[in-house]
Amino acid sequence: MTDIVITIFIISLALVLKKSKIIATLLFLCMWILWGWNTWNGDYKIYENYYYDSIWIFKDSLDYEIGYRYLNFVFSENKFEYKTFMIIFSFFVLYLIKKISFEYSRY
């Protein structure tokens, strides 16, 4: 419940202070925390099992999530925990969104 209140507060600030990069960075950090450290969603356990069973990259059809499967394989073979992988992965995805947003949008 607290995460929802904080997110609504930051988004409200972002609507009022449209050109504030500080508010946008706070929103980025909030999204990163909510995604990178999220262990309570329904798919977490399934993706964690896939991560630790890194050979699944070669078992299933390779017509979807090819890059994600490869990253799973590389990180799991280098003995990273799944939670660490998700923190790093979510940071880079959200950082790219933030960078593109700052570069190509007026507000």
Side-chain angles (χ1 to χ4, degrees):
M1 183 67 172
T2 307
D3 56 342
I4 295 171
V5 172
I6 292 171
T7 304
I8 290 172
F9 177 72
I10 294 172
I11 290 173
S12 300
L13 280 176
L15 292 172
V16 174
L17 306 169
K18 293 181 181 179
K19 293 185 180 183
S20 175
K21 289 188 177 184
I22 294 171
I23 300 299
T25 303
L26 282 174
L27 187 59
F28 163 77
L29 290 173
C30 182
M31 289 188 303
W32 184 37
I33 289 168
L34 290 175
W35 181 11
W37 283 268
N38 178 11
T39 59
W40 43 264
N41 71 5
D43 294 337
Y44 183 85
K45 205 66 177 159
I46 294 168
Y47 281 108
E48 184 180 33
N49 289 340
Y50 280 149
Y51 179 81
Y52 287 118
D53 184 21
S54 61
I55 198 69
W56 73 283
I57 189 173
F58 304 111
K59 285 188 213 173
D60 296 335
S61 171
L62 288 176
D63 23 331
Y64 64 94
E65 295 184 347
I66 297 168
Y68 184 76
R69 289 173 181 220
Y70 181 72
L71 285 174
N72 272 321
F73 179 74
V74 169
F75 274 77
S76 67
E77 290 299 310
N78 287 308
K79 308 298 183 223
F80 282 92
E81 289 185 16
Y82 179 68
K83 188 171 192 140
T84 306
F85 165 72
M86 279 309 298
I87 291 169
I88 294 169
F89 179 73
S90 63
F91 176 82
F92 283 111
V93 169
L94 290 171
Y95 178 76
L96 286 174
I97 292 171
K98 177 181 171 273
K99 182 175 171 63
I100 291 168
S101 297
F102 279 12
E103 190 171 327
Y104 293 108
S105 70
R106 278 179 53 188
Y107 301 111

